Amino acid sequence: MSARPPTYPAELVRLLLAMAASEFGDRLVQVAYALIALKEGSTTFLAAVLAAQTIPILVLTPIVSSRDWIRSRTAWRAGLVGQVVAFAVAATQAGSPAVVLVCVLAAASCEALTMPFSRSLLHALSDGRQAELAKLWGVAKAGAGAAGMVLAGVVVSLSGAGLAFVLNALTFLAVMAVAWSPQIPEAGTGGHRKPTAGVRYLLAPGAFGAAGLLCLVVMLLATSLEGVSGPFMLAETPGYDANGLGVVMACWAIASMVTAAITPKCVTGNRAFLPLSNVLVAVALGLPSIGLPFWLAAVTFALGGIGNGIFNLLLSRIIWSGVPAEGQAHAWAAFNWVLNASLFLSFAVGFLLRPGHAPALLAGAAGACLLAGGLYLTLLLRAPKSVRAIA
């Protein structure tokens, strides 16, 4: 007899679906921003959008973490309302870049509250099945993001940027529908904490430790740089094909999504696969940067997607398994800060450097990934087997 498939709490399933819908909406609005920039005939708008998306999180995260607001259900709901209003206004004023930027700034400010609570809520609703939760979230996030990228061009070309903002507002409404469910627990607030409380949770031996956190930071920087400079690097490879650029870039996203779906539990339960994912990304970025032919780069980008997919699974599994319940929101807030700092730094570097410098830049990122992964892997292999296991 075949084993019965596991059942999951209804609220967990609803929250996962709502958060996946939000990921879909985020991909749609990225295309909307590009459309507005093209209409304005300048890349300045996209640079301003990046600043508006990241700077509020970098500034506000230490504040909301120290006040413990990221553990408040009331603050989470207020943040969701703010995001819905921001994108609803953006939809009605899509022709005004200045208004859209203000709306992006408001939505990002709300994200400093909503992202940590949402991720910690997944942990609270998971009934202790962290491995299954990491896989479910990895597949849902990657699949929704890929669908958003595929459909974004169609949506925006047919109806303009306004519809993308409307759809994104609706996805936040879906999260709000879950947020007001009576089954959603109130984590409450515990007074004041140090702004660095989340970093301490990530540095704990049961989570990443110092070497593991270095691995995480370098991976986020490398993949952020790939998103900015990858197309320019590929343009320098022998046999470059402008029409095939999207295919090669898509290999990364597709491989990441498939990896999230098929990776067995034995992989997500072994900490040693985190640095190995760094090695795969190093190969994916390093070989094209030194002159690998364009179409062979598709193979390396698929390897990078596999590495990134494993990394995302392990990232979620380690935080959900290695951080106590009272520290979940703080740990996710710290991760969100590091992620946005990496995005901001990578876009700033990409904005300032000439496109011709992209191969050297990504070769350096590949080298850093290889060194960080090699260091952490060496430490893990020398440690007892129990250290490599994720609870």
Side-chain angles (χ1 to χ4, degrees):
M1 293 178 63
S2 60
R4 292 180 61 186
T7 57
Y8 302 99
E11 288 305 315
L12 174 62
V13 174
R14 282 194 281 268
L15 180 61
L16 276 170
L17 292 175
M19 290 174 64
S22 181
E23 184 73 16
F24 174 84
D26 287 344
R27 292 294 176 265
L28 284 178
V29 295
Q30 293 302 322
V31 176
Y33 300 144
L35 180 70
I36 294 172
L38 289 172
K39 186 177 179 181
E40 293 295 307
S42 171
T43 59
T44 305
F45 176 77
L46 287 179
V49 165
L50 169 77
Q53 286 178 317
T54 55
I55 290 177
I57 294 173
L58 298 179
V59 173
L60 293 176
T61 294
I63 298 172
V64 298
S65 295
S66 64
R67 300 290 298 184
D68 234 8
W69 292 335
I70 53 173
R71 297 183 64 233
S72 167
R73 182 179 62 188
T74 302
W76 178 50
R77 290 171 172 173
L80 290 172
V81 171
Q83 288 172 312
V84 170
V85 171
F87 284 107
V89 173
T92 64
Q93 302 293 323
S96 170
V99 174
V100 170
L101 278 175
V102 172
C103 292
V104 173
L105 190 69
S109 300
C110 293
E111 186 188 330
L113 288 171
T114 58
M115 185 275 189
F117 190 94
S118 296
R119 295 292 180 90
S120 64
L121 184 57
L122 288 175
H123 173 271
L125 296 173
S126 67
D127 198 24
R129 290 180 288 185
Q130 310 306 339
E132 292 88 345
L133 175 60
K135 188 166 187 174
L136 283 172
W137 173 237
V139 174
K141 185 176 186 295
M149 288 187 285
V150 170
L151 295 177
V154 177
V155 170
V156 173
S157 63
L158 290 177
S159 303
L163 180 59
F165 291 130
V166 168
L167 291 173
N168 201 33
L170 291 175
T171 66
F172 284 111
L173 278 176
V175 182
M176 282 178 59
V178 178
W180 261 266
S181 166
Q183 278 73 44
I184 298 301
E186 168 66 88
T189 57
H192 296 269
R193 297 194 186 200
K194 291 185 178 180
T196 57
V199 176
R200 292 204 304 273
Y201 282 117
L202 296 180
L203 281 169
F208 293 98
L213 189 58
L214 174 64
C215 235
L216 181 148
V217 171
V218 171
M219 174 69 99
L220 292 177
L221 280 169
T223 52
S224 297
L225 287 169
E226 181 273 327
V228 176
S229 302
F232 298 106
M233 175 186 70
L234 291 169
E236 301 291 326
T237 60
Y240 169 69
D241 181 355
N243 295 322
L245 179 63
V247 175
V248 176
M249 296 296 290
C251 286
W252 190 294
I254 293 171
S256 181
M257 179 179 64
V258 173
T259 299
I262 67 174
T263 299
K265 191 185 295 187
C266 62
V267 171
T268 59
N270 190 332
R271 209 177 296 269
F273 283 97
L274 185 74
L276 286 175
S277 68
N278 279 54
V279 173
L280 288 176
V281 168
V283 171
L285 300 181
L287 292 181
S289 70
I290 59 174
L292 192 72
F294 177 77
W295 285 108
L296 286 179
V299 177
T300 69
F301 265 51
L303 285 176
I306 292 170
N308 200 38
I310 294 172
F311 171 82
N312 289 333
L313 286 171
L314 284 166
L315 161 72
S316 299
R317 175 81 187 275
I318 289 171
I319 295 179
W320 281 325
S321 299
V323 175
E326 66 272 13
Q328 282 290 314
H330 294 276
W332 282 111
F335 165 75
N336 201 32
W337 193 95
V338 173
L339 172 63
N340 280 274
S342 301
L343 289 170
F344 184 81
L345 179 61
S346 64
F347 273 87
V349 170
F351 188 74
L352 294 173
L353 290 183
R354 296 178 181 176
H357 293 151
L361 177 65
L362 289 177
C369 251
L370 197 59
L371 288 174
L375 170 65
Y376 189 35
L377 184 60
T378 301
L379 293 174
L380 286 175
L381 292 178
R382 290 179 177 177
K385 190 175 180 180
S386 59
V387 173
R388 297 193 292 274
I390 304 173

